[in-house]
């Protein structure tokens, strides 16, 4: 920070600091009334329409709150353009195309992974399928809660050790792209809820993801936290933003301690790094 940051000579800087202190959290969650012209792959749109509007995205009806708030996202492999139709309360229809900005997806080579987690023995296939189906099911929830509106905070502070969408090659074997963001933190680091929500899934020992929690933020938006060493919440629990929900760990398919934070709009995986309040470092 500059030495004169708070000196009388830098009253502009002081005014800016006060403005940021007063408005920072609110700005993070500010909702536009305009749709963006362009959306990045993995990006989320939070928009406020006229109350009573209807919204279709790519031919599917999207939840609009009583206050007109709606959310939708673009998956990693979305190429667009996204056809968006808004029908306002007076029946007037507006059609918009949102261009999708493509991203580069570097290849990450992850070596030293326990072979049994890269290509699990057939005897475990049923267990893995059952566990993944249980997580997929809770992501279909569409609660009329706007916990996402206040913006998001980092669940832990640390170096990003794995980015959303990167192609993953485990022990030389190409696998599905990375579904979230990895943050390197020592085992036992407290994990905080990035936004308020309801715990919809909490299991200490899934085969691939270890200690696993899903928090539902409303309107189909949910966070998942993987490889946890200890769970501090239970299913159905209401949690506030910043509340400690777990301790990080290295359970499941990992090579070292880190927190995996995944973010979904229903079944569509989005990039946590693009969320309101989570600035790219
Ligand atoms: Zn990960």
């Amino acid at each position: 920070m500059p030495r004169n940051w708070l000196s009388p000579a830098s009253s502009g800087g002081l005014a800016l600091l006060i403005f940021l202190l007063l408005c920072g959290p609110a700005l993070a969650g500010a909702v536009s009334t305009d749709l963006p012209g362009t959306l990045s792959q993995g990006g989320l749109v939070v928009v406020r329409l006229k109350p009573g509007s209807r919204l279709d995205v790519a031919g599917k009806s999207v939840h609009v709150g009583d206050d007109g708030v709606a959310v939708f996202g673009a998956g990693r492999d979305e190429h667009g353009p996204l056809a968006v139709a808004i029908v306002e309360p007076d029946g007037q229809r507006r059609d918009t195309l949102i261009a999708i900005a493509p991203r580069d997806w570097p290849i990450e080579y992850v070596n030293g992974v326990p072979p049994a987690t890269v290509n699990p023995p057939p005897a475990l296939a049923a267990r893995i399928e059952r566990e993944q189906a249980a997580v997929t099911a809770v992501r279909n929830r569409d609660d009329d809660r706007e916990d996402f509106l206040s913006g998001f905070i980092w669940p832990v502070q640390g170096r990003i050790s794995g980015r959303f969408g990167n192609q993953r090659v485990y022990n030389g074997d190409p696998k599905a792209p990375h579904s979230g963001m990895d943050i390197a933190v020592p085992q036992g680091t407290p994990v905080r809820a990035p936004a308020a929500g309801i715990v919809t899934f909490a299991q200490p020992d899934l085969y691939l993801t270890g200690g696993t929690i899903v928090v539902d933020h409303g309107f189909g938006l949910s966070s998942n936290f993987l490889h946890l060493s200890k769970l501090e919440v239970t299913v159905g629990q209401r949690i506030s933003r910043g509340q400690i929900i777990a301790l990080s760990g290295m359970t499941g398919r990992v090579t070292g301690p880190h927190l995996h934070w995944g973010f979904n709009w229903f079944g569509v995986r989005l990039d946590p790094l693009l969320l309101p309040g989570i600035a790219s470092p």
Side-chain angles (χ1 to χ4, degrees), residues 88-108:
E88 299 196 329
D90 61 4
Q92 193 183 333
R93 181 185 165 112
R94 286 193 287 139
D95 283 283
T96 314
L97 287 178
I98 298 180
I100 300 298
R103 296 172 59 182
D104 285 334
W105 304 113
I107 298 177
E108 276 177 22

Side-chain angles (χ1 to χ4, degrees), residues 108 161-163 168 170 178-183 226-227 253-254 258-262:
E108 276 177 22
S161 55
R163 288 179 179 264
R168 283 236 159 141
Y170 290 97
H178 190 220
S179 62
M181 173 164 83
D182 289 342
I183 309 168
L226 313 182
H227 314 306
R253 183 167 67 188
V254 293
H258 69 276
L259 176 71
H260 172 109
W261 176 22

Side-chain angles (χ1 to χ4, degrees), residues 32-37 45-60 64 67-70 72 82-98:
S32 172
T33 52
D34 295 318
L35 290 171
V45 174
V46 183
V47 67
R48 192 185 297 271
L49 309 173
K50 283 184 191 159
S53 298
R54 285 188 290 123
L55 173 66
D56 275 19
V57 176
K60 286 193 190 131
V64 180
D67 54 0
V69 166
F72 58 92
L82 277 185
V84 177
I86 298 168
V87 180
E88 299 196 329
D90 61 4
Q92 193 183 333
R93 181 185 165 112
R94 286 193 287 139
D95 283 283
T96 314
L97 287 178
I98 298 180

